[in-house]
Amino acid sequence: MKDAEQVSKESSAPSAVPQPVVAQLTRSAIFLVVTLSSGKENEATVQKLCGDLAALVRAVGFRDLEGKLSCVMAFGSDAWDRLFGTPKPKELHPFREVHGRHHAVSTPGDILFHIRSTRTDLCFELATQIMSRIRGAVSTADEVHGFNYFDDRDLIGFVDGTENPVDQGALNATIIGEEDTAFAGGSYVIVQKYLHDLTQWNELPVAEQEKIIGRTKLSDIELDDAVKPTSAHNALTTIIENGEQLEIVRDNMPFGDVGKGEFGTYFIGYARSPRRIEQMLENMFVGRPPGNYDRLLDFSRAVTGTLFFVPSATFLENVGTAEAAPSTVDPTAKEPEAEHESKSRLSLPDGSLGIGSLKKKAGYE
């Protein structure tokens, strides 16, 4: 198997097709994080899956073309070094812990599979097929099955995702362009699993909950700046740079285990630079200014934290054949067939966040 530099040099493809990082939010998702076992044979097994993934998604998704099955495959810093060598995405590094009033932990994770569909069974079947290909080559670090909760609400009762960018704005926020031409069409993703203390949270008066979140609970209207605390969740996760709001795309989903009394939110944020999400986490856990931290963290604890790079779909498909990973992006290229539908022909960015938001488009199916 050739490394990323050899793959890139031998490519004749003029453009890269991104993975479906901006796929429409669905009712079900599986977040699967695995660690790569030592040994060249295990690396070869994962590399083979890279080239086979698109066909595998098509095969499972063909059972229901309306199920909108998709899968994003992403790699941690150490796994990238082992699987692909150089060149390496410019901003790929291990997740950086944040120590403040609360702690954003860093946890193991070499490969992320973000599986989405309107149907839980399609997500489950694809996850099963993926693991059947790489079982023995990897160990599972974390697996979370997310679900849509009533009208797009988190288990704490607030709508999650109001401010997500859509269409061209989503592409501008997530897809790498000229800033790293060798990996144009790629993206970065940070995942964290948060566990909620719902007993304590539900003891708070609704008015206090609203001040912590920065929005009304029932109507989902943002509080006026005159009454919204500077420590509100949506205030601290709004990043302005040179007069421009820096956005990310989130697909957070609730999860839980009633028997264990475990209730939480799986945060997943895509961005063209991880610095956007890292600044949000700094604001949340340390505070802006320091000490003015996100009070939601008094009731919601981060138990995982990992940073991954999402190479283009073209890169993945070419890994097994040693064809080049393209360095430019075709603005009219279709998303991988696993989406089972053509997306609008949106031009990808040639240069360009809020953890409290999640929903990109209305219209669950």
Side-chain angles (χ1 to χ4, degrees):
M1 187 66 62
K2 300 182 180 181
D3 62 22
E5 185 173 16
Q6 291 172 303
V7 170
S8 183
K9 285 181 179 179
E10 295 177 11
S11 176
S12 59
S15 59
V17 177
Q19 291 195 61
V21 298
V22 296
Q24 187 174 2
L25 186 67
T26 54
R27 290 188 176 275
S28 300
I30 292 179
F31 308 95
L32 181 61
V33 177
V34 301
T35 56
L36 179 59
S37 301
S38 60
K40 292 297 182 182
E41 69 282 4
N42 294 323
E43 295 169 9
T45 297
V46 170
Q47 288 165 336
K48 186 177 187 307
L49 176 65
C50 293
D52 294 344
L53 182 63
L56 194 59
V57 176
R58 286 194 298 271
V60 175
F62 192 74
R63 301 183 184 187
D64 181 2
L65 298 182
E66 299 302 316
K68 294 181 171 56
L69 179 66
S70 69
C71 178
V72 170
M73 185 179 187
F75 304 89
S77 179
D78 293 342
W80 184 277
D81 294 338
R82 291 177 57 188
L83 293 168
F84 311 121
T86 57
K88 186 174 183 176
K90 290 181 178 179
E91 297 188 83
L92 180 57
H93 55 260
F95 181 86
R96 293 167 177 162
E97 295 194 358
V98 183
H99 294 270
R101 176 64 179 83
H102 297 281
H103 182 199
V105 299
S106 175
T107 52
D110 287 327
I111 306 168
L112 166 71
F113 297 98
H114 180 198
I115 303 171
R116 286 174 279 190
S117 175
T118 62
R119 293 178 49 167
T120 302
D121 56 350
L122 287 179
C123 291
F124 185 83
E125 177 64 16
L126 180 57
T128 301
Q129 292 294 334
I130 288 172
M131 287 304 296
S132 72
R133 301 291 183 96
I134 59 176
R135 194 177 307 279
V138 301
S139 298
T140 302
D142 193 32
E143 179 179 347
V144 172
H145 293 225
F147 55 87
N148 179 229
Y149 189 61
F150 294 111
D151 50 338
D152 310 321
R153 294 182 184 268
D154 191 277
L155 296 181
I156 63 174
F158 284 78
V159 174
D160 193 0
T162 305
E163 300 298 331
N164 246 14
V166 298
D167 301 327
Q168 185 64 49
L171 291 171
N172 290 342
T174 59
I175 304 301
I176 295 168
E178 294 178 350
E179 67 269 33
D180 192 0
T181 55
F183 294 101
S187 185
Y188 293 90
V189 59
I190 285 179
V191 298
Q192 292 177 294
K193 181 164 70 174
Y194 287 86
L195 297 181
H196 306 318
D197 186 338
L198 290 185
T199 299
Q200 288 194 14
W201 175 257
N202 290 328
E203 289 174 352
L204 286 180
V206 170
E208 291 301 312
Q209 294 180 357
E210 292 176 337
K211 288 180 180 179
I212 290 173
I213 300 299
R215 307 187 77 88
T216 56
K217 191 169 187 177
L218 179 62
S219 61
D220 187 39
I221 303 299
E222 185 172 358
L223 297 183
D224 188 271
D225 288 342
V227 298
K228 180 170 61 177
T230 57
S231 62
H233 181 68
N234 62 358
L236 292 174
T237 55
T238 298
I239 308 297
I240 305 296
E241 185 176 284
N242 299 322
E244 176 187 4
Q245 182 173 343
L246 301 183
E247 296 182 301
I248 66 171
V249 166
R250 320 142 199 80
D251 265 346
N252 306 356
M253 294 201 85
F255 68 90
D257 188 324
V258 177
K260 294 180 180 178
E262 182 177 276
F263 308 94
T265 297
Y266 199 90
F267 164 72
I268 180 166
Y270 292 98
R272 64 188 302 159
S273 169
R275 295 193 307 273
R276 297 182 176 192
I277 306 175
E278 289 167 345
Q279 183 61 61
M280 288 183 169
L281 296 178
E282 186 79 12
N283 292 350
M284 289 173 59
F285 284 82
V286 176
R288 185 177 62 190
N292 190 47
Y293 70 94
D294 187 346
R295 268 53 179 183
L296 180 58
L297 297 177
D298 291 340
F299 306 89
S300 187
R301 176 170 55 95
V303 296
T304 69
T306 319
L307 166 65
F308 302 93
F309 179 74
V310 183
S312 68
T314 311
F315 182 98
L316 289 182
E317 291 176 355
N318 290 339
V319 166
T321 59
E323 295 177 2
S327 59
T328 60
V329 183
D330 180 358
T332 62
K334 290 183 180 181
E335 292 283 332
E337 291 180 36
E339 295 272 359
H340 301 303
E341 61 181 40
S342 297
K343 303 190 80 172
S344 300
R345 293 191 173 188
L346 304 172
S347 61
L348 293 172
D350 55 9
S352 170
L353 280 301
I355 286 177
S357 303
L358 155 154
K359 182 171 51 182
K360 290 180 288 298
K361 295 182 181 179
Y364 291 97
E365 301 193 6

